[in-house]
Amino acid sequence: LGYATFGVRPAATTPTSSLRVTAQHLENRFYSIDLNTNGEITRLWDKRLAREVIPAGETANRLQLFQDGSEREAAWNVYATFERREYSFEGETIVTVAESGPVRGVVRVVRTHRDSRIEQEIILYDALPRIDFATRVDWQERQVLFKVAFLVEIVAD
């Protein structure tokens, strides 16, 4: 039941930031992240714990496609054997820097598969120990299950 007026003006000093962002690398005071040409994380170094999070030879943020049940079934029937019927992506991947500021950095990954489009933003913040993945999917496939795999070397309940 009120209002406030705010003005925007240039800062008196340049803010300091730990962020470094390219299409292949994101880094802040908490993490160092390497990406491959598919936008998958090949290395995630936790600086606070001084350890690798991704197992050697594996990737995280790996997009996967699987056959979704038999031809006679509708969606939502996911069986324990679904991982035996994995498809590969058919299409291209474009990885670009969408933002590189003092507060947050964003790498945009756009992948296509036939008539479907997956657009993902990997967001890293200067002062927050978190990595966000904002994903938008325009899915046009039939009988295909889509999932994202994050293989990490973390033991937790």
Side-chain angles (χ1 to χ4, degrees), residues 86-106:
E86 186 171 356
Y87 297 104
S88 58
F89 270 86
E90 299 171 1
E92 66 177 20
T93 302
I94 300 169
V95 181
T96 57
V97 175
E99 278 184 49
S100 183
V103 176
R104 75 180 201 163
V106 179

Side-chain angles (χ1 to χ4, degrees), residues 77-89:
N77 292 324
V78 179
Y79 297 102
T81 60
F82 81 96
E83 290 181 321
R84 294 185 197 158
R85 301 172 300 204
E86 186 171 356
Y87 297 104
S88 58
F89 270 86

